[in-house]
Amino acid sequence: MLSVIVLTGIHFTLVFSQSRESAVREDIPLDSIRLSDPFILADKNTGMYYMTGTGGMLWKSKDLKKWSGPFHLAKTDSKSWMGESPMIWAAELHHYKAKYYYFATFTNRDIKIDTVKGNVIERRACHVLVSDKPEGPYVPMGDPEYLPANKPTLDGTFWVDDDGKPYMVYCYEWLQNWNGTIEKIELKPDLSGTIGESKLLFRASDSPWSRERDEKGNIVPNKVTDGPWLFRTQTGKLGMLWTSWVFSDYTQGVAYSASGTLDGPWIHEEEPVTPANYGHGMMFKTFDGKHLMVVHSHSVGENGRYIRVPTLFEVDDSGDKLVLGSRF
């Protein structure tokens, strides 16, 4: 039983990947898995790699080459704002103070919160679940909401800053503000809720590399912020991966904090850090000491649907700035 949870009268729903069940498969190569927003936890306690992402399912591997899954791992309260079968985007797994935490974006398509420029915006927000084990089950904690109900937020990630406090760093979605932001909000010590108000870190328009055309055909900064991930180089430099678009190419950039803390100011690199059509990345260290970045590739199928496959790159973080290496 989880010591940080006291719940009574709550009806749990096992959350399925976009409401579809999938049969568990064994010995699947990484490049045979379709998955957006991949996240890999290298768990020293179990000696296993755990991968999740959009859809919220779990894959397991001992060597990063052959994977088993997908497994269901999240349970939500069907009576909460999420409803019975929320969509799950960009799930992450974090080990912190002897617990495992599931950061994810949940969408209840039955609740509409706004309409902007003809776009109906559904109830979508970052939330955190908890478990004693990396494979779950992950269940709700104290706060029914982490972020304001009237704002669409997504891609929440976890960071403990120099002040020793835990934070969620997330995107306020461009669909409502038309200039996406990345923001931070303090978390309670056990991550069971948020404290105070959020703070702006930067806007999509601050990027020197992301581009799109406006309604008149003019080239302007892209409005999308997506997939923040915090890291420190081996020299102690605080950086953030984040993803946007360069016209039709889904692309990832990197920014560095001049102060060395989340408060920035954040200085953006002039050019993307990944090749075109690779993005929403995070980094981890393998059990044999290699530094890797996992991203998803991005292409469009004949039916117009996105095709996204997890891809590993070696990275060099020995200096003040991240250097992307060859595919792993």
Side-chain angles (χ1 to χ4, degrees):
M1 182 137 184
L2 298 170
S3 60
V4 296
I5 303 172
V6 179
L7 297 171
T8 59
I10 290 180
H11 178 252
F12 285 122
T13 296
L14 185 62
V15 180
F16 296 100
S17 174
Q18 310 298 354
S19 300
R20 298 191 299 270
E21 288 200 49
S22 300
V24 172
R25 297 176 290 159
E26 302 289 341
D27 297 326
I28 305 300
L30 185 64
D31 60 7
S32 295
I33 298 172
R34 296 282 183 91
L35 181 66
S36 296
D37 313 329
F39 183 100
I40 295 176
L41 171 68
D43 184 56
K44 294 180 179 179
N45 294 328
T46 58
M48 293 286 291
Y49 297 101
Y50 297 92
M51 180 171 66
T52 187
T54 285
M57 304 292 279
L58 181 72
W59 293 82
K60 300 189 292 187
S61 176
K62 291 183 178 180
D63 59 8
L64 296 173
K65 299 183 184 300
K66 300 292 186 179
W67 294 81
S68 61
F71 302 96
H72 301 291
L73 72 165
K75 293 184 176 181
T76 58
D77 177 8
S78 63
K79 298 186 183 301
S80 73
W81 68 265
M82 297 181 193
E84 292 187 357
S85 299
M87 296 176 66
I88 303 177
W89 294 354
E92 298 186 358
L93 304 178
H94 295 274
H95 185 233
Y96 181 65
K97 293 186 176 179
K99 298 287 182 183
Y100 293 87
Y101 294 91
Y102 184 89
F103 282 63
T105 303
F106 297 89
T107 299
N108 185 339
R109 306 198 69 180
D110 293 330
I111 300 177
K112 318 300 181 184
I113 62 171
D114 203 353
T115 301
V116 179
K117 297 189 177 184
N119 293 313
V120 177
I121 302 172
E122 298 162 342
R123 179 76 190 276
R124 175 162 48 253
C126 307
H127 207 87
V128 185
L129 309 181
V130 67
S131 177
D132 285 323
K133 300 180 295 183
E135 65 268 27
Y138 289 86
V139 298
M141 292 185 279
D143 282 11
E145 299 178 345
Y146 280 70
L147 295 168
N150 62 344
K151 292 183 177 181
T153 57
L154 70 162
D155 295 355
T157 191
F158 179 57
W159 185 252
V160 179
D161 212 12
D162 278 359
D163 57 9
K165 297 177 180 178
Y167 291 88
M168 179 192 290
V169 175
Y170 65 93
C171 301
Y172 173 24
E173 193 173 23
W174 64 273
L175 280 172
Q176 189 175 56
N177 58 26
W178 223 247
N179 186 8
T181 65
I182 292 183
E183 306 184 8
K184 74 166 188 177
I185 192 165
E186 185 179 347
L187 294 169
K188 295 178 181 178
D190 63 356
L191 314 191
S192 64
T194 54
I195 298 172
E197 302 294 325
S198 62
K199 178 179 179 180
L200 174 70
L201 301 185
F202 60 83
R203 295 178 173 85
S205 59
D206 294 336
S207 164
W209 56 264
S210 64
R211 291 288 180 267
E212 65 178 344
R213 292 188 183 275
D214 65 14
E215 295 87 347
K216 298 180 179 179
N218 300 313
I219 297 175
V220 296
N222 198 282
K223 55 185 170 290
V224 173
T225 50
D226 182 84
W229 168 259
L230 283 301
F231 66 93
R232 284 198 188 275
T233 68
Q234 294 181 46
T235 63
K237 191 78 169 180
L238 178 61
M240 184 193 303
L241 301 174
W242 69 286
T243 300
S244 190
W245 295 79
V246 180
F247 302 111
S248 61
D249 292 333
Y250 186 77
T251 310
Q252 182 174 252
V254 62
Y256 295 95
S257 170
S259 68
T261 72
L262 285 178
D263 290 330
W266 289 91
I267 311 301
H268 298 265
E269 293 290 275
E270 291 292 327
E271 299 296 332
V273 70
T274 54
N277 287 313
Y278 289 92
H280 200 115
M282 57 82 61
M283 296 185 295
F284 65 98
K285 189 175 181 179
T286 67
F287 298 131
D288 58 358
K290 291 185 176 66
H291 294 262
L292 298 181
M293 177 190 294
V294 61
V295 294
H296 66 240
S297 63
H298 176 88
S299 61
V300 181
E302 292 182 359
N303 59 2
R305 298 187 67 177
Y306 291 158
I307 299 172
R308 291 176 167 177
V309 178
T311 306
L312 292 169
F313 286 91
E314 294 184 358
V315 288
D316 179 359
D317 65 351
S318 59
D320 280 346
K321 292 188 176 181
L322 196 68
V323 178
L324 191 71
S326 58
R327 287 183 60 165
F328 177 74

